[in-house]
Amino acid sequence: MTTRYARMADIILRLAAAFAFIYPALDEVADPTSWLGYVPHAVLNVTQAVGIPDLVFLHTFGALEILIALWLISGWKVVWPALAATAILVAIVILDGADFQILFRDLSIAGMTLAVALMHLPRGKAGWPIKSSLATEPRAV
């Protein structure tokens, strides 16, 4: 990320992804019963089986969403919260495929967070993400 526009794009992507995680977490406090309807039944069955009340799970998940959002905004080691966000969004779609008409946007947001993660991968000597034996310096001819 060397250009001013690339830095601006990075900030916009991180803020947009953070918003997608902050809004539901805050709205869960105001109207938790509406948001419980979006939790996949399989997840609620597991949490209930281990003795975690629905609202405790919902608010704990909301706290995790806020943590990921704030970490994305901070700009510190962005690869990790971006990958976590991607995994969460993909898992939500997979676990609740019956609601795909509502959740299809989560895949777009997951694509955005994956792009953010890729933009922040460490670079090796040849400019490749992460140093690899395949990434070699160009030879002088």
Side-chain angles (χ1 to χ4, degrees), residues 18-69:
F19 178 75
F21 277 77
I22 287 175
Y23 175 77
L26 295 179
D27 199 50
E28 288 167 2
V29 175
D31 190 10
T33 53
S34 291
W35 286 95
L36 276 173
Y38 291 107
V39 179
H41 296 293
V43 172
L44 288 179
N45 290 341
V46 170
T47 58
Q48 290 168 356
V50 296
I52 299 172
D54 294 349
L55 290 180
V56 171
F57 169 76
L58 187 68
H59 294 309
T60 302
F61 187 73
L64 174 66
E65 289 176 308
I66 288 183
L67 176 68
I68 288 172

Side-chain angles (χ1 to χ4, degrees), residues 20 38 89-90 92-93 99-113:
Y38 291 107
L89 290 163
V90 170
I92 288 170
V93 172
D99 286 334
F100 191 74
Q101 290 178 328
I102 297 169
L103 299 175
F104 72 94
R105 290 183 180 106
D106 286 359
L107 292 179
S108 299
I109 299 167
M112 180 173 57
T113 56

Side-chain angles (χ1 to χ4, degrees), residues 17 48 76 78-79 121 125 131 140:
Q48 290 168 356
W76 182 71
V78 174
V79 171
L121 278 177
K125 285 185 179 180
K131 192 172 182 177

